[in-house]
Amino acid sequence: QVQLVESGGGSVQPGGSLRLSCAAGRYTYKRNCMGWFRQRPGKDREALAVLWIGGAQTTYADSVKGRFTITRDKARDLVYLQMNGLQPEDTGIYYCAARLCATPEQAQSAVRNWADFRYWGQGTQVTVS
């Protein structure tokens, strides 16, 4: 049963922006990490940004640092990914996911271990051209 639902994908020109939303519901539990990931054509899935709910700590992949921002709307149980300066190489399917992060160290390393995220949404397509 899918509990995470992404939205906000679409087509944009190079240099443009998009904001993705993830309806995260109960997964915004304080000991969880919420993350955004993508899978580009012909490439492995990669982590982009992780938010540790309990510590309000964020970490980013080097490839998107300074361009993408992960935030949370606590009242609405939504997690966002603001993407600026999009380029054709950002084209792919974008996913949100959740996992337990019991310690700050787990939260810090989560962006390097996408396979440890247990709960996934169905993805939303982003096309930059």
Side-chain angles (χ1 to χ4, degrees):
Q1 183 179 1
V2 176
Q3 299 289 333
L4 298 166
V5 181
E6 303 94 337
S7 61
S11 296
V12 65
Q13 294 182 343
S17 298
L18 282 174
R19 188 179 76 164
L20 306 182
S21 298
C22 174
R26 64 185 178 92
Y27 291 102
T28 54
Y29 172 59
K30 64 180 180 180
R31 295 185 73 195
N32 274 356
C33 282
M34 296 295 304
W36 282 98
F37 308 79
R38 71 182 174 196
Q39 186 144 21
R40 295 181 285 179
K43 295 187 179 294
D44 291 336
R45 189 167 298 189
E46 59 181 321
L48 304 176
V50 173
L51 169 66
W52 184 31
I53 301 295
Q57 171 183 307
T58 58
T59 53
Y60 296 90
D62 288 343
S63 59
V64 302
K65 201 173 293 184
R67 294 193 301 132
F68 292 7
T69 305
I70 185 170
T71 58
R72 173 194 175 202
D73 183 331
K74 183 176 180 180
R76 300 172 65 192
D77 286 335
L78 293 171
V79 178
Y80 300 109
L81 184 69
Q82 177 67 43
M83 305 186 294
N84 300 325
L86 287 164
Q87 299 300 321
E89 55 266 32
D90 293 314
T91 294
I93 301 174
Y94 284 66
Y95 301 88
C96 71
R99 59 160 286 181
L100 177 67
C101 285
T103 66
E105 292 73 23
Q106 282 187 344
Q108 186 68 30
S109 66
V111 76
R112 297 189 295 273
N113 299 290
W114 69 263
D116 290 337
F117 280 75
R118 182 174 178 182
Y119 305 99
W120 291 82
Q122 81 288 354
T124 185
Q125 176 71 43
V126 171
T127 302
V128 186
S129 64

